[in-house]
Amino acid sequence: MARSDEAAAFFATVYSAVREIPEGKVTSYGHIAKLIGTPQRPRQVGVCLKHLSHDAGARFNNVNVPWQRVINAKGAISQRSQPSGARNQAAALQAEGVTVATGALGELTVDFAEYGWFPRSLPSEEESELDDDDSE
DNA sequence: ATACTGACCCTGG
DNA sequence: ACCAGGGCCAGTA
């Protein structure tokens, strides 16, 4: 498998993971990176979303992939080159019923405690403070 | 081909 | 609590 193919596979994997985010929920780039087994590349996740196709005929596009449900670890919508994009993302989230607040610096934030999506597939998070049952 | 950028995140001071 | 530094690597110039 050539490197370019691996890159394409990475894109597809990211898009598939993003698709798993339930409507009305949000998660972080880093979380997506962990889910797909590459916890050290949250930046590349952002690259994937940036390059998401606008063509409705594409396998993955900005309609069938809920890109708006991915925000940064600080619980804020990442600012990008075009300020309108962040606003656009906030609007898309609010359309799903997600409350978006505005910070003192004008940053658009979402409350993880309320809308965060964090599945338990993470290897590290397993050793939780569950009750007792260590049957293993 | 080389160099800089970036829709990020974590660890230290 | 905030700021700096380091790592990551596909895109873009």
Side-chain angles (χ1 to χ4, degrees):
Chain A
M1 208 174 191
R3 287 169 272 297
S4 55
D5 290 330
E6 295 190 19
F10 182 80
F11 269 65
T13 306
V14 168
Y15 295 146
S16 296
V18 172
R19 268 178 162 170
E20 301 304 312
I21 308 172
E23 185 174 327
K25 293 288 185 178
V26 297
T27 194
S28 69
Y29 298 94
H31 191 181
I32 294 296
K34 285 180 187 173
L35 285 180
I36 65 180
T38 57
Q40 329 227 159
R41 299 170 227 174
R43 301 195 84 168
Q44 302 315 114
V45 173
V47 172
C48 293
L49 296 179
K50 181 179 185 179
H51 285 260
L52 197 51
S53 176
H54 274 75
D55 180 6
R59 176 149 78 111
F60 296 110
N61 58 56
N62 62 332
V63 175
N64 62 28
V65 177
W67 56 273
Q68 68 270 23
R69 297 175 197 154
V70 184
I71 62 181
N72 64 33
K74 295 186 288 290
I77 295 174
S78 295
Q79 184 72 352
R80 71 187 202 287
S81 351
Q82 287 288 319
S84 54
R87 277 202 316 100
N88 185 27
Q89 183 171 0
L93 284 174
Q94 291 183 106
E96 295 186 351
V98 175
T99 298
V100 180
T102 303
L105 305 164
E107 52 185 37
L108 304 165
T109 65
V110 175
D111 182 10
F112 272 136
E114 181 68 31
Y115 303 103
W117 179 69
F118 299 99
R120 48 197 125 228
S121 305
L122 282 57
S124 306
E125 316 246 329
E126 304 210 17
E127 43 137 344
S128 59
E129 52 285 342
L130 282 198
D131 324 5
D132 35 276
D133 205 33
D134 42 24
S135 46
E136 198 179 341

